Amino acid sequence: MIARRSVHIVLIAGLLLLVAGGSAAHGQRIAKYGADFLAGGVDARALGMGGAYVAHASEVTAGYWNPAGLHRIESTQVAYMHVSRFAGSVTFDYGGLAVPLDERSALGISFFRSGVNDIVNTLNAWDPVLQQPKANYESLITTFSAADWALFVSYSRQINDRLSAGVNFKGIRRSIGDFAQAYGYSMDAAAQYRVGAYRVGVTVQDLSTMLQSWSVNREEFQLSGDDINPDTGEPYTFSDVFGQDIPEGGTELVLPVVRLGSGAVWPVGERHTVTAGFDVDVAFDGQRAFVPNMGDVSFHPRVGGAFNYAGVAEVRAGLQRIQTGGDLGGITASPSVGAGVKLDRISLDLSFGDFVGITAEDLGFTYRLSAIIRLQPPDEP
């Protein structure tokens, strides 16, 4: 058992680097999943609608979906969301703050963390001479975390009664314990247009193209102990024991993604509303497996809706990850449902997703719990 973990789990940092970081010898490469930890979205209200929210974003969480809608806040807002994925093995946390600057503009800050904690590191628990675990292997086992962090600074400005614009300035940090880390920077640009009950929006993510630079701490891959490799006459190295070279640092490019959104909010009677949304993400990184595509351009649609009762309670449903092909053939989608309440100064929302198919059977549900607090404006009594 420990032997298999030595070969497979110990090397998780190196294997992840080989997948994500590329090799310096090959120079820059296009990253299909370089910022994928941000793709899941934020705000249980938006996610309950399947993430069809680019045209609707208008509160503090607009800093993620469409910063152009951020100016619509009337007072300072604070938001938080927690997500548990894959039966709790992966956690995602989001926090946001938005402050109106005047009647036509606002500033926001968003913070994100996605991580896998307590990954077992048995690098020094394996005896390279006897080819078995060391006698005291339990005391030599340590743990580490693989985590991705992001910080957004958002600005929104109303151009006229119908049109608004916004930008995000973004920085990310990715780490695999002390083995390796990467940094990246980029910006987003966005717009939102509303007329009557209808609205459209667009967000160009990573408009400047994000360059992620990986660095590897080679010392973390060195083995402890003074055992000599008889073939080399030197102490055993990582390569000697595991048959792989220590990964090299490198750079990768995260290409822009254009997020297009449309929607409407229709009144039902005097107190209720129905909301509908349809979004499509257009990516240029060559994804072709199981997604609608035209060559290297792939399309990722989302659709959702909500019924709001008297401005207090709301129920939602949506579809995301709409894909083609796969083991079942045809078209598949991941449904989501949710509900929430909006009180005087606080909104509480809950949504569920991934409750059909292989994800639910093997890895459990994905639930999202979020809250938005609207602080009292200074001039209110």
Side-chain angles (χ1 to χ4, degrees):
M1 182 71 174
I2 185 69
R4 294 184 62 187
R5 292 164 74 94
S6 297
V7 175
H8 296 101
I9 300 179
V10 160
L11 299 181
I12 188 168
L15 294 176
L16 287 175
L17 276 175
L18 291 173
V19 172
S23 170
H26 293 86
Q28 296 176 1
R29 71 168 196 163
I30 304 301
K32 292 186 178 182
Y33 308 104
D36 199 52
F37 72 98
L38 294 171
V42 304
D43 184 13
R45 180 177 193 266
L47 296 173
M49 292 176 55
Y53 212 64
V54 171
H56 291 290
S58 60
E59 293 194 296
V60 56
T61 57
Y64 171 85
W65 294 102
N66 186 333
L70 198 62
H71 75 91
R72 299 182 185 279
I73 63 173
E74 296 179 353
S75 63
T76 299
Q77 295 186 0
V78 179
Y80 175 74
M81 183 187 79
H82 175 77
V83 178
S84 178
R85 298 188 178 115
F86 307 129
S89 60
V90 179
T91 59
F92 179 89
D93 291 279
Y94 153 79
L97 171 68
V99 180
L101 299 178
D102 53 41
E103 294 182 353
R104 301 172 66 90
S105 62
L107 183 69
I109 297 176
S110 304
F111 171 81
F112 311 82
R113 182 191 185 273
S114 178
V116 179
N117 301 316
D118 298 324
I119 301 172
V120 176
N121 176 7
T122 59
L123 186 64
N124 291 309
W126 183 252
D127 190 320
V129 178
L130 300 178
Q131 288 294 296
Q132 65 181 30
K134 295 180 179 178
N136 60 335
Y137 73 86
E138 291 182 347
S139 64
L140 301 174
I141 294 175
T142 60
T143 61
F144 65 95
S145 297
D148 298 315
W149 309 76
L151 179 68
F152 290 12
V153 178
S154 309
Y155 176 76
S156 174
R157 180 76 179 177
Q158 182 181 16
I159 307 302
N160 55 44
D161 291 341
R162 296 182 177 181
L163 178 66
S164 59
V167 294
N168 281 335
F169 299 97
K170 312 190 318 188
I172 71 167
R173 178 181 183 270
R174 310 182 68 189
S175 64
I176 304 175
D178 293 326
F179 293 94
Q181 62 183 359
Y183 292 91
Y185 307 92
S186 68
M187 65 173 293
D188 305 336
Q192 203 174 67
Y193 184 84
R194 297 188 175 190
V195 53
Y198 302 94
R199 53 201 64 184
V200 295
V202 58
T203 301
V204 183
Q205 293 184 334
D206 300 313
L207 175 65
S208 58
T209 303
M210 179 182 290
L211 177 66
Q212 293 184 9
S213 299
W214 281 93
S215 61
V216 176
N217 184 356
R218 298 180 64 87
E219 292 183 359
E220 288 295 318
F221 288 88
Q222 302 303 319
L223 304 181
S224 63
D226 300 321
D227 295 317
I228 301 300
N229 185 339
D231 294 330
T232 64
E234 300 289 337
Y236 277 96
T237 66
F238 179 89
S239 299
D240 294 337
V241 177
F242 299 106
Q244 298 184 40
D245 293 332
I246 298 176
E248 298 288 340
T251 59
E252 57 185 6
L253 299 174
V254 179
L255 297 181
V257 174
V258 180
R259 312 190 79 175
L260 305 173
S262 62
V265 179
W266 297 289
V268 178
E270 296 183 358
R271 304 179 62 193
H272 319 308
T273 60
V274 170
T275 300
F278 177 73
D279 289 9
V280 177
D281 290 355
V282 183
F284 305 92
D285 54 10
Q287 295 186 50
R288 300 189 183 189
F290 311 127
V291 294
N293 66 85
M294 296 178 60
D296 287 341
V297 181
S298 59
F299 304 92
H300 308 264
R302 301 183 299 277
V303 62
F307 174 75
N308 186 286
Y309 179 83
V312 176
E314 191 172 73
V315 292
R316 305 130 189 165
L319 295 173
Q320 57 186 330
R321 290 198 293 276
I322 300 173
Q323 300 180 338
T324 59
D327 294 337
L328 301 178
I331 298 176
T332 61
S334 177
S336 60
V337 296
V341 294
K342 183 177 182 180
L343 306 177
D344 183 31
R345 292 291 173 190
I346 187 170
S347 296
L348 297 174
D349 297 287
L350 177 67
S351 73
F352 288 90
D354 299 330
F355 51 84
V356 296
I358 186 172
T359 304
E361 284 184 22
D362 297 343
L363 299 174
F365 302 120
T366 296
Y367 70 88
R368 304 101 168 186
L369 178 65
S370 69
I372 295 178
I373 300 174
R374 292 171 286 276
L375 304 183
Q376 183 174 327
D379 56 351
E380 279 195 15

